[in-house]
Amino acid sequence: METISLFVKSVFVDNMIFAYFLGMCSFLAVSKNVKTSAGLGIAVIFVLGITLPINYLLNKYILTPGALIWLSPSLADIDLSFLSFIIFIAVIASFTQLVEMIVEKFSPSLYSSLGIFLPLIAVNCAILGASLFMQEKAFATLGEATVYGLGSGFGWFIAIVSIAAIREKITYSNVPKALQGLGITFIISGLMAIAFMSFMGIKF
Amino acid sequence: MAMDKKIFTTPILKSNPITVLVLGICSSLAVTVKLEPALVMAVSVTIVTGLSSFLISLIRKTIPNRIRIIVQLVVVAMFVILIQQILKAYAYDVSKQLSVYVGLIITNCIIMGRIEAFGLNEKPLPSLVDGLANGLGYGLILVIVAFIRELFGSGTLLGIQVIPQSFYEAGYMNNGLFIMPPMALILIGCFIWIQRIFQKEESK
């Protein structure tokens, strides 16, 4: 039950975009039509679901104060937490590069539909943000961290697909000239964020 | 010298990184609830953008093209770690408020965007100026948004009460919506609207 609650919470209540503004750049840039945004959304779920457990293990066994104790007791008071940014970002960047190469090799069709988004993901704030939140929330088990990663990815997916659907429709509406495009997108996402606020307090 | 001045002034107003280029919204809107963290964030981003652009530009001829993103991320991450450690040492309260968002400067698209677009091709000194100016343009919007949100949301500026007590006695209330995340999005939307209206007049 805890796990489901955590999943629902990370999808709706702590939605990466509407509650923390993470991954806004690609959210605004790639949300022009539903199909490409769904592709990017899936890529984000995928990368989050894999990098988060990796970063969790790195954090637990290398970065937190005294974490190196499993190597030798004399390392007990070493605190490497200041290195966490650089390690997390290195994991994310190298992982996206790796995934890109694997996908390119084994599934060229998936690569052509997804490939362009993979390098973009390395600088998607949602990925690094999830790792940093994971570090701050101090999850107890690897499972929880994975669920959190998948949940936030899924929340991001929902957000980008729904805004893309709205933007597709809004091209037919009569929006004031100066507000067209970017301006109205911001305001819509603001309104959507208000809608998502109604999920606050959901518990299972 | 005239060219240097142009490099400096364009990013602040004409091609402001937030309202025109839509870069770097990711990690920043969440810190605009209060003016103080927004100011700190603006200064940190300016420093990181300037210095990392400068450093990348210095070593631009030795970076292999294929792994340039990882190199850039490592350089940026190094500066961000420096900033984080300095904040922790001298402004602990603010660094607690900014929490993960300091780390997220790494994935701030402004920095990567400027490095890609400018630092990789230009000489170190113009890159430094360009980075600083973009950071300032970004900080400007951040500070304006934070100013409005803190003034209407909490009735204070930098933690000092601005709206006189007599207003509250006469029935004035703080607008709670301004503290919520959606309002930041809507405010930025309005900025873009206003800026586009003025720019259209300019081009006429």
Side-chain angles (χ1 to χ4, degrees):
Chain A
M1 267 322 143
E2 282 275 289
T3 324
I4 299 174
S5 167
L6 180 68
F7 184 77
V8 172
K9 198 163 175 276
S10 56
V11 173
F12 293 110
V13 183
D14 290 343
N15 188 292
M16 275 291 160
I17 287 181
F18 296 129
Y20 297 116
F21 309 109
L22 295 178
M24 277 308 267
C25 309
S26 29
F27 173 75
L28 293 167
V30 193
S31 63
K32 283 198 183 85
N33 71 66
V34 174
K35 215 174 157 201
T36 45
S37 53
L40 183 64
I42 289 167
V44 166
I45 299 181
F46 188 62
V47 174
L48 263 178
I50 292 173
T51 52
L52 215 65
I54 298 177
N55 281 341
Y56 177 81
L57 290 176
L58 282 173
N59 186 40
K60 194 165 179 193
Y61 291 108
I62 294 178
L63 295 173
T64 43
L68 285 170
I69 206 158
W70 57 272
L71 264 180
S72 108
S74 58
L75 297 172
D77 42 324
I78 290 184
D79 179 3
L80 290 178
S81 53
F82 68 92
L83 280 178
S84 48
F85 292 163
I86 211 159
I87 289 201
F88 287 170
I89 200 72
V91 167
I92 292 166
S94 48
F95 183 77
T96 43
Q97 206 115 47
L98 192 72
V99 172
E100 196 188 341
M101 284 192 255
I102 292 172
V103 174
E104 191 179 8
K105 175 110 197 182
F106 291 104
S107 168
S109 64
L110 182 67
Y111 178 75
S112 58
S113 62
L114 204 69
I116 33 164
F117 298 124
L118 282 170
L120 260 180
I121 287 177
V123 285
N124 188 325
C125 333
I127 315 275
L128 181 64
S131 285
L132 294 173
F133 274 122
M134 174 271 295
Q135 194 184 28
E136 194 162 84
K137 290 184 178 179
F139 290 118
T141 62
L142 182 63
E144 270 181 39
T146 317
V147 168
Y148 179 73
L150 289 173
S152 354
F154 193 62
W156 203 86
F157 173 81
I158 291 181
I160 195 168
V161 170
S162 46
I163 193 109
I166 296 177
R167 281 183 78 173
E168 272 187 5
K169 290 276 172 281
I170 213 151
T171 44
Y172 303 111
S173 319
N174 191 10
V175 180
K177 194 127 204 234
L179 197 58
Q180 266 168 16
L182 204 56
I184 194 72
T185 314
F186 266 102
I187 293 177
I188 295 171
S189 11
L191 294 177
M192 281 173 75
I194 294 179
F196 266 71
M197 272 163 60
S198 60
F199 288 116
M200 241 175 233
I202 281 189
K203 265 215 172 108
F204 277 94
Chain B
M1 243 0 246
M3 203 193 117
D4 281 0
K5 208 176 156 196
K6 210 171 159 203
I7 296 175
F8 190 72
T9 49
T10 352
I12 294 183
L13 289 172
K14 257 198 196 136
S15 66
N16 186 291
I18 290 191
T19 55
V20 180
L21 305 177
V22 222
L23 294 175
I25 306 144
C26 327
S27 54
S28 51
L29 290 181
V31 302
T32 56
V33 178
K34 289 253 170 358
L35 199 52
E36 198 189 358
L39 277 172
V40 174
M41 189 74 178
V43 172
S44 326
V45 171
T46 310
I47 294 171
V48 175
T49 337
L51 289 182
S52 52
S53 213
F54 178 69
L55 193 65
I56 288 285
S57 173
L58 271 182
I59 57 172
R60 70 184 185 280
K61 289 193 181 115
T62 55
I63 303 175
N65 199 34
R66 266 195 86 83
I67 57 158
R68 67 176 195 285
I69 293 196
I70 296 182
V71 175
Q72 289 161 5
L73 282 175
V74 170
V75 169
V76 176
M78 182 189 82
F79 284 115
V80 173
I81 290 175
L82 283 178
I83 296 267
Q84 185 212 24
Q85 297 298 324
I86 292 171
L87 280 182
K88 265 193 185 154
Y90 294 104
Y92 191 71
D93 291 340
V94 180
S95 86
K96 267 272 157 292
Q97 274 177 37
L98 288 173
S99 71
V100 303
Y101 292 98
V102 179
L104 287 171
I105 297 178
I106 299 174
T107 49
N108 192 316
C109 331
I110 292 182
I111 299 175
M112 293 298 284
R114 286 334 288 174
I115 292 175
E116 282 274 297
F118 208 97
L120 272 179
N121 312 314
E122 301 280 335
K123 291 207 180 71
L125 219 53
S127 307
L128 177 69
V129 175
D130 176 77
L132 288 177
N134 273 288
L136 280 178
Y138 163 91
L140 183 74
I141 299 285
L142 214 61
V143 168
I144 297 176
V145 174
F147 179 83
I148 298 175
R149 285 181 77 186
E150 190 174 354
L151 184 63
F152 291 105
S154 335
T156 56
L157 284 177
L158 289 171
I160 303 159
Q161 191 173 345
V162 183
I163 292 176
Q165 198 60 41
S166 54
F167 274 45
Y168 288 103
E169 278 153 20
Y172 175 84
M173 294 246 276
N174 285 329
N175 188 342
L177 188 62
F178 274 87
I179 304 179
M180 300 294 186
M183 208 53 211
L185 290 170
I186 295 176
L187 275 177
I188 298 262
C190 295
F191 280 150
I192 295 174
W193 191 4
I194 294 167
Q195 203 189 9
R196 294 241 165 122
I197 290 172
F198 279 112
Q199 274 188 342
K200 215 170 48 187
E201 277 168 11
E202 240 170 55
S203 59
K204 269 178 195 169

